[in-house]
Amino acid sequence: MIPVIIVVKILEELGIIEYIGIILEPLMSLVGLPESMGLVWATTVMTSIYGGMVIFVSQAPSDLTVAQVTILGGMMLLAHGLPVEVRIAQKAGMSVWFSLLIRVGGGVLYGWLLFQIYSAGDWLQQPNQLMWQAEPSVDTSLIDWGVTQLKSLAIIQVIIIVLLFFLKILKLIGIEKLLAIMLSPILKILGISKQATTITIVGISLGLAYGGGLLIKEAQQGMLTKKDVFTAIALLALLHSLIEDTLLILLLGADLSGVLWFRLCFSFIFISILSRLVFRMDDQTFERVFCSKT
């Protein structure tokens, strides 16, 4: 997070942030967001949700609605940390082009669908309320900027500690086991094999790095077919770290309807269609179109 803050400050001083906003403005307009939110999503895509959160706090306009924050949050959930996570998917057997398509393209489609739904029903149009906000300062010196950033990071650190403690409580009372029980029949319907179900649930609960790593190991040992691994990693691309990432986005003021329930529906429908397409393909066509060469 600290390198991200420094880089953004340098871009800000050089006047480059304004141009980034102009470049991303058409995409942000498509999903009903101000152009300044383009930098938040771009940072999230290249770094992590935590990095995007830092930029959101410093760049978010005061007149954002809950619907807009939910849309942005949903896009952040689908596309974040791509330099690392796309490589994990590639090692598991998914081609880079399709991994980027499902994450970035899926994120844009997700945001657009949420924008249409919230606009049509005039839902969640009330002003957004952040749990914390950096104090505006009249002092524009680098020292004052540094102090302000340290204060924000300290607050974020406290929030993360509370979040991790809350996650530990959830684990102790068996929420993860309940999640596994609830998702098992759904994963079977989606075409994910019995052998890959447990690993997929690990990824959904804990994150793509965990689930993807296990899938890579199982694939290398020949325990799973390429199509099984592909379907599982495709689901994890859209739906991983379900508890932690969702709670992080809720801290920004997003609504649960868009960052959890709609995410579940979107992911399950998308993978249901994809798995049926994949399993109807012959192996040669499937490997040529969807699989990585490494």
Side-chain angles (χ1 to χ4, degrees):
M1 292 169 66
I2 293 174
V4 168
I5 293 172
I6 294 173
V7 168
V8 170
K9 180 61 176 177
I10 293 172
L11 294 177
E12 197 171 44
E13 293 295 321
L14 295 175
I16 296 176
I17 282 186
E18 182 179 350
Y19 292 104
I20 293 175
I22 293 173
I23 292 171
L24 295 176
E25 193 273 334
L27 181 59
M28 292 298 100
S29 296
L30 186 66
V31 296
L33 295 176
E35 64 180 38
S36 60
M37 294 298 93
L39 179 62
V40 176
W41 195 47
T43 302
T44 305
V45 166
M46 296 305 298
T47 59
S48 66
I49 289 178
Y50 290 108
M53 289 173 68
V54 171
I55 306 306
F56 178 86
V57 171
S58 63
Q59 299 290 325
S62 59
D63 59 349
L64 281 179
T65 65
V66 174
Q68 289 176 311
V69 175
T70 305
I71 291 168
L72 176 64
M75 296 173 68
M76 292 168 70
L77 287 169
L78 264 67
H80 58 264
L82 295 195
V84 174
E85 294 189 354
V86 166
R87 179 57 178 164
I88 292 173
Q90 184 187 24
K91 293 290 289 183
M94 179 180 286
S95 65
V96 171
W97 79 265
F98 189 77
S99 187
L100 290 172
L101 177 64
I102 197 175
R103 300 294 295 275
V104 178
V108 174
L109 176 61
Y110 190 93
W112 182 81
L113 289 173
L114 272 184
F115 175 51
Q116 299 304 315
I117 292 170
Y118 289 148
S119 297
D122 198 31
W123 294 315
L124 304 180
Q125 300 305 312
Q126 67 269 29
N128 182 61
Q129 295 293 327
L130 264 177
M131 288 189 63
W132 86 97
Q133 179 67 61
E135 289 287 337
S137 174
V138 294
D139 188 349
T140 58
S141 69
L142 287 177
I143 293 178
D144 181 72
W145 170 82
V147 171
T148 301
Q149 298 307 313
L150 287 175
K151 289 180 180 178
S152 296
L153 287 171
I155 294 172
I156 292 171
Q157 179 65 34
V158 172
I159 291 172
I160 291 173
I161 290 171
V162 173
L163 174 62
L164 292 176
F165 180 76
F166 181 62
L167 288 173
K168 186 67 174 178
I169 296 294
L170 292 179
K171 182 179 290 186
L172 289 174
I173 64 178
I175 293 297
E176 288 185 359
K177 292 181 180 178
L178 178 62
L179 184 64
I181 294 171
M182 293 172 60
L183 290 177
S184 290
I186 298 175
L187 296 182
K188 292 177 182 178
I189 295 173
L190 295 180
I192 294 176
S193 67
K194 183 178 180 180
Q195 293 84 348
T197 296
T198 302
I199 296 174
T200 305
I201 290 174
V202 169
I204 290 174
S205 304
L206 300 179
L208 182 61
Y210 294 96
L214 292 173
L215 285 169
I216 292 170
K217 180 180 178 182
E218 293 295 303
Q220 290 174 344
Q221 294 178 349
M223 304 298 292
L224 297 171
T225 67
K226 288 185 177 181
K227 289 185 178 181
D228 284 335
V229 174
F230 177 85
T231 306
I233 204 71
L235 177 60
L236 291 184
L238 299 175
L239 192 66
H240 60 269
S241 194
L242 188 61
I243 300 173
E244 180 180 356
D245 286 358
T246 301
L247 289 174
L248 287 175
I249 298 302
L250 289 176
L251 292 177
L252 300 180
D255 189 78
L256 200 63
S257 64
V259 297
L260 178 61
W261 304 121
F262 188 73
R263 186 184 179 194
L264 288 168
C265 293
F266 179 88
S267 302
F268 290 153
I269 292 172
F270 185 94
I271 298 303
S272 178
I273 296 171
L274 179 64
S275 65
R276 279 156 179 75
L277 172 65
V278 164
F279 283 102
R280 288 178 181 176
M281 281 184 174
D282 63 83
D283 290 343
Q284 288 185 337
T285 303
F286 163 71
E287 292 185 18
R288 184 176 68 252
V289 175
F290 292 114
C291 293
S292 64
K293 304 303 179 183
T294 58

